[in-house]
Each structure stands twice: as structure tokens, then as C-alpha cells.
Amino acid sequence: MRLEILPVPGIGHVTEGDDLAALIGGAAPWLRDGDVLVVTSKIVSKAEGRLVDVPADGPDRQAARDRVLAAESVRAVAARGDTQIVQTRHGFVMASAGIDASNVDKTRLVLLPEDPDASARALRAGLRQRYGVDVAVIVSDTMGRPWRNGLTDVALGVAGMAAIRDHRGEVDPYGNELVLTQMAVVDELAAAGELIKGKRDQMPVAVIRGYLVPPLPDDGEGTRVLVRDAAMDLFSLGTAEAKAVGFAAAATLPDHPGSVAPDPTVVDRAIAAVAGVIAPGTVFTQVTDDDVRGGLVATVPGWPPHANGLVLCSPPTPVGPVQLVRFGTDVQRLRTALAAHNVPTQLLPPPNATTAAATLAL
């Protein structure tokens, strides 16, 4: 296979309502059947009117951008400082929902195309009808990647070719059957086109020649096959967000003391292991339920002094020895860790919903 990557100069400034097929076909009359046209999503969005007005600067601009981001997102994945990784309505996980402020007037923001696959199909059909040329079309945009620095272009929409080259079932030269290999060829071609287009050269369109001969007779499935199913997504949240969800889930786990009392030696060993990690130096003292109640009344403002204000387990009394634990906000971490040791627990926050103190019933 011999590939060529060809620039398409002369597109010029694109505005709402422009006919991209006419602009591209006029700038590249040399297009051939089987070429792959890589088009930057920004000019597609501009032609389709996917722009919003915002203040040029100041806090009002950021507030307006935040509102637009919320409208374009269906799920927050991670946030660090001003960077927000979200899932868009298309299913893409990307920074700021693809909202872009470059190569556009300072008072406007560019959104992703409403349906990039439909945009690719429309452009392909327009070129075929106007110029009689049968090409594949990729609508591309720039994304970051987990675990790697640097940006690269990927496909948001495609028409006229398969998004994935599936090698499963094939046999390599050593006789090994390929069972997992599925190449996202449209992403690879989008990245190849970016080598020519650049970010400052006002070259929003590139042609890759030599990959397809001929293109698909129909438009294909589009890029939806690239969006990983939620059930298969091992990294659906950022690290901090996943921890927060885990702590919240641990704090609401049902409490079941169990029919058999745990071995006190095992319990002490488990608590010591946990304390050594999250609360080094903490001293644990065996106390009775009355001692616990008295301690909580004395140390936690507003803690009810009556028995029905401190339900340790069912039945509430007698409960036997308990551990009084003072971990502050680390109570949830203690509970999660003890659950990993299969120690039945019940953590009770004080009435004011803080975690200044809590009781661990064993």
C-alpha cells in the first residue's frame, strides 16, 4: 500500500450556511474515487451554525462557557482545576465536550456538530452529486488520550468506509489466530490528515489517497462502533471521582451484625492493620455501650443522651463491647477497609451529619 496525504488549500473562511461540498470540490477538483477526505469538525460546525455567543472576557465569559458545557454534557467523568472531562451526547469522552474557542471570533464558541456521522454522509453525498466523485469522508477533531501526553486527531464522524478494521479470526505469519485485534482505522487516518492540516495553517481539509479502492457502496455504520459500551468501560470515572463514589457507597452499605460473633483477635488484628494505614498512632480502647453513649454525649455537640438516640445494632441492647473510633472524615475509609476483612460493622454518624466521631459496633 502506498499512501499520500494531500493538503486542500483555498477553503477560506467558513460561515453559517456555506456549502462545504462546493467549497471543497472547488478547491480540490483533482479528487478521485477512493480518496479519503479528512475534514476538521470546526468548519463543519461553522457551516451548520453550531456557534454560541459569549462575552469576550471576564467572569461572565467563564460563566457562559460553563452553561454551554453543561448543556453539551450528559455525564461528568473527571475534573482537575479548570479542566473538565465529560461525556457528550454523542457518547464521546473528551475535555470540555469539544467546545473550542480557537480560530473563531473572541465573542463566540464553536460546538461539535450535532451529528458528525450525518454531517459526513451529507458532505459525501454533496460531492457525489455535484462533482460525480465517490470518496469516503471523515469528520475529525483533536483529543487528548488517557495515560499519554500530547494530542492527536480522531474521527467524530465517518461515511463511506468502516470505522474499524477487524482482524479477529485472521492468522498471523506465525500461525497465531488473532482474537482481540480491532484497528480504529478512521482514527489513524484522522491523525494522518492532521500532519498536513496543522493548527495554525488554516488548512482544515486533507485528502488521503491510496487507502480505499473503492470505498463502501453505502455510508457504513459511522463512528458509533467506536464508542465503548458502558458495561465494558473499566475507566468510566477519574481517580478522585471513583474514590468519592466508593466512599459514598461504603457509607450506605447495609449493616448486618451476623449470627456469629466475630473472633475478637481477628477484629483487633483487622483494626490494627487499618489504623496503621489511615490513622497511625490512634489508640483503640474496649468500652461498653454505656461508655460509648457517655463519650459521644460529652464530645459531640447535640448527641442525644437517650438510648434510642444511639442504635448500635438490632436489637439495640445489649450489644456487648464496642470500639470508639475518632477518625474525622476517615470513618468511611475505615468502614471500607474493615469490610474488606469481612468484619461486620455498623458506623453511626452523629446527628448533625458530620463525622467528628462514630461508633463501630462489633
Side-chain angles (χ1 to χ4, degrees), residues 76-152:
V77 175
R80 300 295 181 273
D82 293 334
T83 301
Q84 296 188 58
I85 309 299
V86 301
Q87 185 176 32
T88 70
R89 291 177 286 103
H90 319 80
F92 308 133
V93 176
M94 57 197 311
S96 301
I99 298 169
D100 200 344
S102 63
N103 290 308
V104 69
D105 188 272
K106 288 183 178 294
T107 61
R108 311 199 82 181
L109 296 175
V110 184
L111 312 182
L112 294 183
E114 186 73 29
D115 184 342
D117 283 330
S119 301
R121 292 193 294 268
L123 179 53
R124 183 185 186 220
L127 289 167
R128 184 191 301 115
Q129 293 166 6
R130 186 182 291 266
Y131 300 101
V133 64
D134 192 6
V135 299
V137 175
I138 295 174
V139 176
S140 70
D141 196 19
T142 303
M143 285 191 192
R145 300 157 298 159
W147 310 297
R148 295 179 72 85
N149 291 322
L151 305 173
T152 187

Side-chain angles (χ1 to χ4, degrees), residues 259-308:
S259 58
V260 179
D263 184 336
T265 303
V266 174
V267 172
D268 288 341
R269 194 161 56 241
I271 292 176
V274 174
V277 175
I278 66 173
T282 299
V283 177
F284 296 91
T285 304
Q286 294 282 353
V287 294
T288 67
D289 54 338
D290 289 334
D291 294 331
V292 170
R293 186 180 302 108
L296 290 172
V297 169
T299 58
V300 181
W303 194 279
H306 307 295
N308 59 5

Side-chain angles (χ1 to χ4, degrees), residues 33-54:
D33 289 352
D35 284 345
V36 179
L37 194 68
V38 182
V39 183
T40 300
S41 65
K42 184 167 295 178
I43 67 168
V44 175
S45 294
K46 287 181 176 180
E48 295 176 351
R50 291 282 289 162
L51 298 102
V52 293
D53 296 320
V54 294

Side-chain angles (χ1 to χ4, degrees), residues 101-336:
S102 63
N103 290 308
V104 69
D105 188 272
K106 288 183 178 294
T107 61
R108 311 199 82 181
L109 296 175
V110 184
L111 312 182
L112 294 183
E114 186 73 29
D115 184 342
D117 283 330
S119 301
R121 292 193 294 268
L123 179 53
R124 183 185 186 220
L127 289 167
R128 184 191 301 115
Q129 293 166 6
R130 186 182 291 266
Y131 300 101
V133 64
D134 192 6
V135 299
V137 175
I138 295 174
V139 176
S140 70
D141 196 19
T142 303
M143 285 191 192
R145 300 157 298 159
W147 310 297
R148 295 179 72 85
N149 291 322
L151 305 173
T152 187
D153 264 30
V154 301
L156 300 185
V158 62
M161 66 173 292
I164 288 178
R165 169 71 166 92
D166 194 346
H167 292 277
R168 293 176 299 178
E170 298 177 6
V171 177
D172 70 15
Y174 292 89
N176 302 303
E177 182 179 351
L178 303 177
V179 296
L180 297 174
T181 306
Q182 294 176 283
M183 303 302 297
V185 291
V186 289
D187 286 344
E188 294 176 315
L189 293 170
E194 175 58 24
L195 296 175
I196 290 294
K197 293 187 297 174
K199 291 302 178 190
R200 298 184 302 166
D201 301 330
Q202 293 187 318
M203 191 76 65
V205 180
V207 172
I208 299 176
R209 178 165 291 167
Y211 182 77
L212 285 178
V213 184
L216 292 175
D218 58 13
D219 288 323
E221 295 183 279
T223 57
R224 67 175 182 268
V225 298
L226 296 174
V227 177
R228 191 182 300 276
D229 184 82
M232 300 295 293
D233 189 354
L234 302 182
F235 307 98
S236 59
L237 291 172
T239 304
E241 289 73 19
K243 287 182 178 179
V245 170
F247 291 155
T252 57
L253 287 174
D255 296 307
H256 301 291
S259 58
V260 179
D263 184 336
T265 303
V266 174
V267 172
D268 288 341
R269 194 161 56 241
I271 292 176
V274 174
V277 175
I278 66 173
T282 299
V283 177
F284 296 91
T285 304
Q286 294 282 353
V287 294
T288 67
D289 54 338
D290 289 334
D291 294 331
V292 170
R293 186 180 302 108
L296 290 172
V297 169
T299 58
V300 181
W303 194 279
H306 307 295
N308 59 5
L310 182 65
V311 181
L312 296 178
C313 62
S314 180
T317 58
V319 297
V322 296
Q323 299 278 9
L324 179 62
V325 183
R326 302 182 191 281
F327 276 113
T329 57
D330 279 335
V331 167
Q332 291 178 347
R333 296 173 63 187
L334 173 69
R335 179 178 192 164
T336 303

